[in-house]
Amino acid sequence: MKQNIYKDVIITSEYLLNQGINLLFSKEDFTVDNEIIALLDVSDIPRMINGKTIVIHEKFGIFFVKRTTKQLMNEFHKFNRVGFLLSKALMKYFDMKRNIPMVFGFCSYMPMSGGSRNCTDWIALHWLKKVEQHGTSANFETDNGLTIRMNFPNGNLHDRVHDVYFLSEQQVITLGSILAKGNMKMIPPRYVGLLNDYNDCRCLFHKDILVTWSGICNRVDSFENFLLDAITKGEIEADVTKEIYHQKIYRIMKLY
């Protein structure tokens, strides 16, 4: 991205649709990837440009697409093959109720509000260097020197960011422990945003989570139950069907 264009500028959807409009372009062949820095929802903002989302991208710059932010985020399952699956399973395991993020290993995308049913802005936490809340606004400073401001209508920003990083941390720990059983090791990328800062968190939530193999096994079992619950939802005698599926999975794990 040509950062000099936006040096000393606070990037907002309003700025891009007014002062920065001549710098924008349309890129309808765009496919989602981890180099998305932010998605700005402009589906309800009156404008002359035929687009519903402004994408801020590390490689391609800032551009329009006709798809909504919700449509773009739902396309992540094509990129990483799991989409929101692991995030939803972990949120259920840790009893988190709202604002479903998209977490896959060290890469995390956080919605500014809702996120599950409506279109909203999204920010990539793995690109962040600093976060600040100013009333109902959120300022994000990225690793490449951009400052992006989004509406943040409800909640505490640092708590929200903490929870998403917590999910990322727990996912990495779980996957790393499983890989270790195969004499493999997970190598972190060069930059993981603020994840290392939150690894040192001493909040009560972190203190309650003990990293043991028994705990890892419980999470794997919980993930299996999450999938079976989803598969059998609405079926007659769902509990019986779940038990049958569980037994079949267990048999597959054994030689005979």
Side-chain angles (χ1 to χ4, degrees):
M1 180 187 294
K2 296 180 179 179
Q3 299 179 34
N4 291 335
I5 300 176
Y6 301 100
K7 185 178 181 181
D8 300 324
V9 170
I10 296 179
I11 301 174
T12 65
S13 55
E14 290 78 11
Y15 169 83
L16 294 173
L17 291 173
N18 291 280
Q19 295 96 318
I21 192 68
N22 292 330
L23 299 175
L24 300 183
F25 59 96
S26 179
K27 185 173 177 60
E28 291 308 320
D29 63 344
F30 175 68
T31 57
V32 299
D33 57 31
N34 291 335
E35 292 190 88
I36 294 175
I37 297 173
L39 298 177
L40 304 179
D41 171 37
V42 293
S43 58
D44 292 329
I45 299 178
R47 64 206 179 284
M48 298 299 294
I49 300 298
N50 185 19
K52 295 182 179 179
T53 299
I54 297 176
V55 180
I56 302 177
H57 194 273
E58 167 64 14
K59 179 179 179 181
F60 301 125
I62 303 180
F63 53 89
F64 279 106
V65 296
K66 294 181 181 178
R67 286 161 286 172
T68 64
T69 59
K70 181 178 179 180
Q71 289 174 320
L72 288 169
M73 290 306 302
N74 278 334
E75 290 177 9
F76 260 100
H77 76 89
K78 300 176 183 178
F79 173 72
N80 60 27
R81 303 308 301 170
V82 297
F84 286 87
L85 176 61
L86 294 179
S87 302
K88 290 180 177 179
L90 272 177
M91 287 190 72
K92 183 176 181 180
Y93 181 81
F94 291 114
D95 197 28
M96 297 179 178
K97 303 294 186 181
R98 302 177 59 187
N99 303 302
I100 299 172
M102 205 293 295
V103 179
F104 186 59
F106 294 101
C107 297
S108 304
Y109 286 90
M110 183 182 79
M112 291 297 100
S113 63
S116 60
R117 296 184 181 275
N118 301 315
C119 294
T120 186
D121 295 341
W122 290 78
I123 189 71
L125 298 193
H126 53 283
W127 285 103
L128 296 187
K129 181 179 179 181
K130 184 178 181 182
V131 299
E132 291 182 340
Q133 183 172 0
H134 301 279
T136 57
S137 295
N139 279 16
F140 301 103
E141 183 179 336
T142 70
D143 181 41
N144 58 16
L146 298 179
T147 300
I148 303 169
R149 177 175 294 168
M150 297 176 170
N151 291 328
F152 185 71
N154 297 299
N156 181 288
L157 179 62
H158 289 279
D159 287 349
R160 183 87 63 82
V161 171
H162 165 277
D163 289 349
V164 178
Y165 273 124
F166 176 80
L167 292 178
S168 174
E169 173 192 348
Q170 296 304 315
Q171 194 178 110
V172 168
I173 289 172
T174 300
L175 294 175
S177 297
I178 294 172
L179 290 175
K181 294 296 182 180
N183 289 343
M184 295 181 285
K185 183 178 181 180
M186 188 182 303
I187 300 177
R190 176 190 65 84
Y191 188 74
V192 294
L194 301 173
L195 179 60
N196 289 332
D197 294 344
Y198 284 90
N199 280 345
D200 296 328
C201 178
R202 294 295 180 265
C203 71
L204 294 177
F205 199 25
H206 266 89
K207 288 182 178 180
D208 285 342
I209 307 301
L210 300 178
V211 181
T212 63
W213 179 244
S214 175
I216 298 298
C217 291
N218 286 338
R219 292 180 205 176
V220 174
D221 291 342
S222 176
F223 180 65
E224 178 189 309
N225 290 331
F226 173 81
L227 291 177
L228 293 179
D229 283 341
I231 292 170
T232 60
K233 184 177 181 179
E235 292 189 11
I236 299 175
E237 296 186 350
D239 289 341
V240 175
T241 305
K242 282 171 54 179
E243 182 59 29
I244 293 173
Y245 287 160
H246 173 75
Q247 292 173 1
K248 289 183 177 180
I249 293 172
Y250 181 69
R251 283 199 295 268
I252 293 173
M253 295 179 183
K254 302 174 70 174
L255 180 61
Y256 60 87

